[in-house]
Amino acid sequence: MAESLEPEDIELGPVLSALADPHRRHVIHELVNDTDGSERPCTSFGLDLSKSTRSHHFKVLRQAGLVHQVDRGNRSGVTLRRADLDARFPGLLSLIGSEKES
């Protein structure tokens, strides 16, 4: 994916807007609590959504600067931009990680 914000260009408004959706917050919650930080397939988050809807949600997360996404043929992998987000918004990922999912 070509579009990737520089860490200093990640803005709070788009980040909060992306996190307002429960499906996207679920993805970030899982990535925050995934301690090894390895790349995960976009299909591994248990989202019971159509492929186009799932793609839309990952696009929003990517455009907000929350994740880095890599296309691997007919699959995509996603990683949390943990260091960038911790530097830009200290404590945000800890809050998301400690949130109880419904």
Side-chain angles (χ1 to χ4, degrees), residues 13-86:
V15 167
L16 293 178
S17 180
L19 292 172
D21 181 89
H23 296 295
R24 294 190 292 259
R25 201 166 52 253
H26 168 75
V27 169
I28 299 303
H29 184 270
E30 284 203 15
L31 289 171
V32 166
N33 290 314
D34 194 2
T35 55
D36 69 2
S38 62
E39 182 179 296
R40 285 191 49 187
C42 292
T43 56
S44 70
F45 293 94
L47 299 175
D48 189 22
L49 304 168
S50 70
K51 182 178 178 182
S52 62
T53 302
R54 213 173 32 245
S55 293
H56 167 74
H57 285 303
F58 282 101
K59 179 181 178 182
V60 171
L61 291 171
R62 190 176 64 250
Q63 288 178 335
L66 289 161
V67 298
H68 176 71
Q69 189 173 331
V70 178
D71 287 333
R72 303 201 182 280
N74 62 352
R75 296 182 184 192
S76 295
V78 66
T79 55
L80 181 65
R81 294 182 63 182
R82 186 181 305 268
D84 295 338
L85 293 165
D86 281 340

